[in-house]
Amino acid sequence: MTVPFSLGKLPTLSRSTVDRQETLRTNPERLLVRWPQAEVLLVNRQGRTPVRQGESVLATRKAISFGDAPPEDAMFLGEWQGVDYWTLPGEPAGEPELVEAPGSWGIVEQVPLADGELWVDLRGYGDQLDDTAAGLFTTAQALRNWHHRARFCVRDGSPVHPVQFGWATRCEASGHEEYPRTDPAIICLVHDEAGVNGERVLLARQPVWPKGRYSVLAGFVEAGESLEGCVTREIREEAGIEVDQVRYLGSQPWPFPRSIMLGFAARADSSQPLRPAEGEIEEALWVSRADVRAAFESGGAPTPIGDGGSTLLLPGNSSIARVMLEAWAYAG
């Protein structure tokens, strides 16, 4: 008996083994005692971090090399196997060499290489990291982006300074504290009305994407809006159709700059005319399960779809969209 599909595995950036140890953020004595044995994850101005060439682990630094105590801009990430992990801004030593490396989008890119370390970005290479590295890098990126955009108090406009080892800020004027914010966004796989899971999926492409790149639809949750209401509204706005049977699938942090993607599935009557949102969606189309499977099995090569001459490139491995599409494509 066919059942509604589920994700089946964690999205790439939802993987983590690290205990965040949130109670230690207000326990400086404990963290300071363990600082000399801690490890530090560097993140540079472009949001890149070093990994050992040919490996899936981070090239962390010994915390003691940054001083006897955490610098003011050090942020505590958590603990794993008895070791504390922190993040600090940092750059490659010397002038890095640019080398070719395949990213999760199936595109070979120029990546900085210095002292045997590749400086990779989370969006393009998160899927190539192990669970511990993926969780640490995702958290570091999220904190970094929040601090970059939260330098002044929302109440009085005065400058703020980090407290609780990066997990809050306190303003100069009144001591008001703020905590990291995450913007909720829905991402929805819409399938047709055939059977429990449908036989076709609705895919769309933005004008700025590479030719042939398609994905499922997504959008930000508005103030005063439920998640299910956002799904219905966004699909209507972006593709011009109505959906029903909205159900939750799973979530993934997406710190670009500070989102969490909330994955849903929904059904639509495929006889409805598609009306892509002008300026936002260049094309929307129904794609068969067979064509999506072929794209997964192509090794990242553009795959012909339908009979109109279009080709399909799937979302990158770091995106929850890919996990959603894979789960649907191979559902019974």
Side-chain angles (χ1 to χ4, degrees):
M1 177 180 175
T2 302
V3 297
F5 77 95
S6 59
L7 292 187
K9 65 181 181 181
L10 280 176
T12 293
L13 303 189
S14 295
R15 298 174 298 142
S16 183
T17 60
V18 174
D19 183 347
R20 291 173 174 249
Q21 292 278 19
E22 62 271 16
T23 58
L24 297 182
R25 299 168 193 168
T26 55
N27 187 353
E29 292 81 8
R30 158 42 170 89
L31 289 177
L32 289 174
V33 166
R34 292 171 60 96
W35 172 256
Q37 290 77 44
E39 297 286 333
V40 172
L41 163 65
L42 297 180
V43 180
N44 73 358
R45 289 186 298 272
Q46 289 74 42
R48 294 181 178 272
T49 197
V51 299
R52 298 168 190 160
Q53 192 173 19
E55 299 183 27
S56 61
V57 296
L58 301 170
T60 56
R61 310 297 197 250
K62 295 296 182 183
I64 195 66
S65 66
F66 297 93
D68 295 334
E72 184 182 8
D73 53 355
M75 294 180 280
F76 176 63
L77 300 177
E79 180 268 336
W80 172 240
Q81 295 185 337
V83 177
D84 289 352
Y85 285 88
W86 297 71
T87 184
L88 277 165
E91 297 290 338
E95 188 66 29
E97 171 191 3
L98 292 179
V99 298
E100 291 187 346
S104 70
W105 294 89
I107 300 173
V108 175
E109 297 180 348
Q110 297 287 317
V111 178
L113 172 68
D115 296 327
E117 298 172 347
L118 289 172
W119 285 70
V120 300
D121 66 270
L122 181 63
R123 188 196 298 259
Y125 295 88
D127 66 299
Q128 300 179 33
L129 302 174
D130 64 25
D131 291 357
T132 301
L136 286 168
F137 195 6
T138 300
T139 302
Q141 185 77 286
L143 282 173
R144 170 185 177 274
N145 287 341
W146 177 67
H147 279 282
H148 181 69
R149 289 165 173 79
R151 291 175 290 178
F152 300 93
C153 181
V154 296
R155 289 188 177 180
D156 54 44
S158 66
V160 300
H161 300 282
V163 294
Q164 296 189 26
F165 299 103
W167 286 93
T169 59
R170 182 177 294 132
C171 76
E172 291 182 355
S174 62
H176 172 69
E177 289 189 354
E178 282 287 326
Y179 299 87
R181 294 292 189 261
T182 297
D183 297 326
I186 63 90
I187 183 166
C188 185
L189 185 148
V190 179
H191 61 74
D192 66 7
E193 69 278 16
V196 174
N197 294 316
E199 290 299 330
R200 294 183 295 166
V201 64
L202 179 63
L203 299 181
R205 54 173 282 101
Q206 296 181 13
V208 297
W209 287 359
K211 184 178 180 181
R213 177 77 65 198
Y214 291 87
S215 186
V216 295
L217 295 168
F220 286 105
V221 181
E222 292 188 345
E225 184 175 47
S226 71
L227 300 178
E228 295 81 1
C230 181
V231 168
T232 301
R233 175 184 57 78
E234 283 289 345
I235 303 303
R236 182 190 303 124
E237 289 180 357
E238 295 191 348
I241 62 173
E242 299 295 331
V243 298
D244 59 19
Q245 298 186 14
V246 177
R247 61 187 182 89
Y248 177 70
L249 295 174
S251 66
Q252 175 181 274
W254 195 246
F256 309 111
R258 61 180 198 187
S259 298
I260 181 166
M261 304 301 295
L262 303 160
F264 287 84
R267 186 188 71 166
D269 180 351
S270 59
S271 67
Q272 299 176 82
L274 296 174
R275 298 186 298 274
E278 185 176 354
E280 186 174 356
I281 302 297
E282 185 175 272
E283 183 184 11
L285 71 168
W286 291 101
V287 180
S288 71
R289 176 174 279 107
D291 283 343
V292 175
R293 285 183 178 178
F296 273 107
E297 294 160 10
S298 72
T303 305
I305 52 176
D307 54 7
S310 297
T311 58
L312 174 61
L313 287 171
L314 293 169
N317 293 337
S318 293
S319 170
I320 189 176
R322 189 180 182 95
V323 179
M324 295 165 66
L325 280 166
E326 184 176 14
W328 175 83
Y330 292 96

